[in-house]
PDB file of all heavy atoms in Angstrom:
ATOM      1  N   TYR A1104    -144.855  14.271  47.100  1.00  0.00           N
ATOM      2  CA  TYR A1104    -143.564  14.641  46.534  1.00  0.00           C
ATOM      3  C   TYR A1104    -143.692  15.181  45.128  1.00  0.00           C
ATOM      4  O   TYR A1104    -144.586  14.721  44.316  1.00  0.00           O
ATOM      5  CB  TYR A1104    -142.611  13.373  46.417  1.00  0.00           C
ATOM      6  CG  TYR A1104    -142.238  12.740  47.643  1.00  0.00           C
ATOM      7  CD1 TYR A1104    -143.066  11.717  48.178  1.00  0.00           C
ATOM      8  CD2 TYR A1104    -141.149  13.098  48.402  1.00  0.00           C
ATOM      9  CE1 TYR A1104    -142.700  11.071  49.397  1.00  0.00           C
ATOM     10  CE2 TYR A1104    -140.770  12.467  49.572  1.00  0.00           C
ATOM     11  CZ  TYR A1104    -141.579  11.518  50.107  1.00  0.00           C
ATOM     12  OH  TYR A1104    -141.257  10.838  51.258  1.00  0.00           O
ATOM     13  N   TYR A1105    -142.839  16.097  44.747  1.00  0.00           N
ATOM     14  CA  TYR A1105    -142.713  16.502  43.354  1.00  0.00           C
ATOM     15  C   TYR A1105    -141.219  16.286  43.035  1.00  0.00           C
ATOM     16  O   TYR A1105    -140.357  16.851  43.710  1.00  0.00           O
ATOM     17  CB  TYR A1105    -143.112  17.992  43.083  1.00  0.00           C
ATOM     18  CG  TYR A1105    -142.964  18.293  41.622  1.00  0.00           C
ATOM     19  CD1 TYR A1105    -144.037  18.093  40.743  1.00  0.00           C
ATOM     20  CD2 TYR A1105    -141.814  18.887  41.107  1.00  0.00           C
ATOM     21  CE1 TYR A1105    -143.897  18.365  39.445  1.00  0.00           C
ATOM     22  CE2 TYR A1105    -141.689  19.171  39.777  1.00  0.00           C
ATOM     23  CZ  TYR A1105    -142.751  18.956  38.966  1.00  0.00           C
ATOM     24  OH  TYR A1105    -142.623  19.232  37.618  1.00  0.00           O
ATOM     25  N   VAL A1106    -140.946  15.534  41.991  1.00  0.00           N
ATOM     26  CA  VAL A1106    -139.600  15.284  41.569  1.00  0.00           C
ATOM     27  C   VAL A1106    -139.262  16.217  40.352  1.00  0.00           C
ATOM     28  O   VAL A1106    -139.852  16.102  39.321  1.00  0.00           O
ATOM     29  CB  VAL A1106    -139.392  13.828  41.184  1.00  0.00           C
ATOM     30  CG1 VAL A1106    -137.918  13.619  40.686  1.00  0.00           C
ATOM     31  CG2 VAL A1106    -139.735  12.906  42.362  1.00  0.00           C
ATOM     32  N   LEU A1107    -138.430  17.200  40.657  1.00  0.00           N
ATOM     33  CA  LEU A1107    -138.155  18.280  39.697  1.00  0.00           C
ATOM     34  C   LEU A1107    -136.927  17.876  38.840  1.00  0.00           C
ATOM     35  O   LEU A1107    -135.883  17.541  39.402  1.00  0.00           O
ATOM     36  CB  LEU A1107    -137.918  19.578  40.472  1.00  0.00           C
ATOM     37  CG  LEU A1107    -137.889  20.924  39.702  1.00  0.00           C
ATOM     38  CD1 LEU A1107    -138.285  22.067  40.706  1.00  0.00           C
ATOM     39  CD2 LEU A1107    -136.504  21.164  39.126  1.00  0.00           C
ATOM     40  N   GLN A1108    -137.076  18.039  37.566  1.00  0.00           N
ATOM     41  CA  GLN A1108    -136.005  17.623  36.660  1.00  0.00           C
ATOM     42  C   GLN A1108    -135.351  18.869  36.017  1.00  0.00           C
ATOM     43  O   GLN A1108    -136.077  19.806  35.594  1.00  0.00           O
ATOM     44  CB  GLN A1108    -136.583  16.718  35.519  1.00  0.00           C
ATOM     45  CG  GLN A1108    -137.226  15.447  36.008  1.00  0.00           C
ATOM     46  CD  GLN A1108    -137.846  14.666  34.892  1.00  0.00           C
ATOM     47  OE1 GLN A1108    -137.204  14.438  33.863  1.00  0.00           O
ATOM     48  NE2 GLN A1108    -139.086  14.274  35.058  1.00  0.00           N
ATOM     49  N   ILE A1109    -134.071  18.866  35.961  1.00  0.00           N
ATOM     50  CA  ILE A1109    -133.317  19.940  35.260  1.00  0.00           C
ATOM     51  C   ILE A1109    -132.274  19.278  34.301  1.00  0.00           C
ATOM     52  O   ILE A1109    -131.397  18.620  34.765  1.00  0.00           O
ATOM     53  CB  ILE A1109    -132.555  20.859  36.222  1.00  0.00           C
ATOM     54  CG1 ILE A1109    -133.466  21.391  37.316  1.00  0.00           C
ATOM     55  CG2 ILE A1109    -131.899  22.036  35.468  1.00  0.00           C
ATOM     56  CD1 ILE A1109    -132.728  22.170  38.412  1.00  0.00           C
ATOM     57  N   GLY A1110    -132.556  19.519  33.052  1.00  0.00           N
ATOM     58  CA  GLY A1110    -131.617  18.896  32.067  1.00  0.00           C
ATOM     59  C   GLY A1110    -132.072  17.507  31.766  1.00  0.00           C
ATOM     60  O   GLY A1110    -133.175  17.066  31.994  1.00  0.00           O
ATOM     61  N   ASP A1111    -131.023  16.743  31.247  1.00  0.00           N
ATOM     62  CA  ASP A1111    -131.294  15.365  30.799  1.00  0.00           C
ATOM     63  C   ASP A1111    -131.195  14.369  31.980  1.00  0.00           C
ATOM     64  O   ASP A1111    -130.212  13.647  32.097  1.00  0.00           O
ATOM     65  CB  ASP A1111    -130.267  15.006  29.712  1.00  0.00           C
ATOM     66  CG  ASP A1111    -130.622  13.688  29.047  1.00  0.00           C
ATOM     67  OD1 ASP A1111    -131.726  13.137  29.274  1.00  0.00           O
ATOM     68  OD2 ASP A1111    -129.681  13.078  28.395  1.00  0.00           O
ATOM     69  N   THR A1112    -132.173  14.408  32.859  1.00  0.00           N
ATOM     70  CA  THR A1112    -132.110  13.617  34.082  1.00  0.00           C
ATOM     71  C   THR A1112    -133.342  12.654  34.211  1.00  0.00           C
ATOM     72  O   THR A1112    -133.644  12.170  35.302  1.00  0.00           O
ATOM     73  CB  THR A1112    -132.082  14.508  35.348  1.00  0.00           C
ATOM     74  OG1 THR A1112    -133.264  15.322  35.375  1.00  0.00           O
ATOM     75  CG2 THR A1112    -130.849  15.393  35.292  1.00  0.00           C
ATOM     76  N   ARG A1113    -133.999  12.455  33.079  1.00  0.00           N
ATOM     77  CA  ARG A1113    -135.299  11.708  33.179  1.00  0.00           C
ATOM     78  C   ARG A1113    -135.153  10.309  33.831  1.00  0.00           C
ATOM     79  O   ARG A1113    -135.930   9.883  34.570  1.00  0.00           O
ATOM     80  CB  ARG A1113    -135.874  11.565  31.741  1.00  0.00           C
ATOM     81  CG  ARG A1113    -137.271  10.906  31.805  1.00  0.00           C
ATOM     82  CD  ARG A1113    -137.839  10.740  30.435  1.00  0.00           C
ATOM     83  NE  ARG A1113    -137.073   9.700  29.625  1.00  0.00           N
ATOM     84  CZ  ARG A1113    -137.271   9.557  28.326  1.00  0.00           C
ATOM     85  NH1 ARG A1113    -138.160  10.224  27.697  1.00  0.00           N
ATOM     86  NH2 ARG A1113    -136.508   8.623  27.749  1.00  0.00           N
ATOM     87  N   SER A1114    -134.100   9.538  33.396  1.00  0.00           N
ATOM     88  CA  SER A1114    -133.914   8.177  33.869  1.00  0.00           C
ATOM     89  C   SER A1114    -133.808   8.121  35.366  1.00  0.00           C
ATOM     90  O   SER A1114    -134.467   7.342  36.083  1.00  0.00           O
ATOM     91  CB  SER A1114    -132.722   7.547  33.199  1.00  0.00           C
ATOM     92  OG  SER A1114    -132.928   7.360  31.836  1.00  0.00           O
ATOM     93  N   GLU A1115    -132.947   9.035  35.949  1.00  0.00           N
ATOM     94  CA  GLU A1115    -132.738   8.942  37.387  1.00  0.00           C
ATOM     95  C   GLU A1115    -133.998   9.480  38.134  1.00  0.00           C
ATOM     96  O   GLU A1115    -134.374   8.984  39.161  1.00  0.00           O
ATOM     97  CB  GLU A1115    -131.560   9.772  37.751  1.00  0.00           C
ATOM     98  CG  GLU A1115    -131.066   9.604  39.220  1.00  0.00           C
ATOM     99  CD  GLU A1115    -130.695   8.177  39.550  1.00  0.00           C
ATOM    100  OE1 GLU A1115    -130.187   7.419  38.701  1.00  0.00           O
ATOM    101  OE2 GLU A1115    -131.061   7.688  40.674  1.00  0.00           O
ATOM    102  N   ALA A1116    -134.576  10.570  37.579  1.00  0.00           N
ATOM    103  CA  ALA A1116    -135.802  11.045  38.140  1.00  0.00           C
ATOM    104  C   ALA A1116    -136.957  10.037  38.184  1.00  0.00           C
ATOM    105  O   ALA A1116    -137.677   9.902  39.135  1.00  0.00           O
ATOM    106  CB  ALA A1116    -136.272  12.324  37.372  1.00  0.00           C
ATOM    107  N   ALA A1117    -137.011   9.290  37.071  1.00  0.00           N
ATOM    108  CA  ALA A1117    -138.061   8.252  37.034  1.00  0.00           C
ATOM    109  C   ALA A1117    -137.804   7.131  38.060  1.00  0.00           C
ATOM    110  O   ALA A1117    -138.738   6.602  38.572  1.00  0.00           O
ATOM    111  CB  ALA A1117    -138.132   7.658  35.560  1.00  0.00           C
ATOM    112  N   ARG A1118    -136.531   6.838  38.328  1.00  0.00           N
ATOM    113  CA  ARG A1118    -136.249   5.837  39.326  1.00  0.00           C
ATOM    114  C   ARG A1118    -136.725   6.260  40.662  1.00  0.00           C
ATOM    115  O   ARG A1118    -137.340   5.463  41.423  1.00  0.00           O
ATOM    116  CB  ARG A1118    -134.723   5.574  39.374  1.00  0.00           C
ATOM    117  CG  ARG A1118    -134.288   4.522  40.417  1.00  0.00           C
ATOM    118  CD  ARG A1118    -132.810   4.543  40.675  1.00  0.00           C
ATOM    119  NE  ARG A1118    -132.383   5.849  41.303  1.00  0.00           N
ATOM    120  CZ  ARG A1118    -132.503   6.145  42.581  1.00  0.00           C
ATOM    121  NH1 ARG A1118    -133.109   5.212  43.432  1.00  0.00           N
ATOM    122  NH2 ARG A1118    -132.068   7.259  43.045  1.00  0.00           N
TER     123      ARG A1118
END
Side-chain angles (χ1 to χ4, degrees):
Y1104 298 90
Y1105 183 85
V1106 179
L1107 192 155
Q1108 303 175 47
I1109 308 172
D1111 186 16
T1112 61
R1113 186 182 68 188
S1114 295
E1115 191 58 37
R1118 179 195 66 80

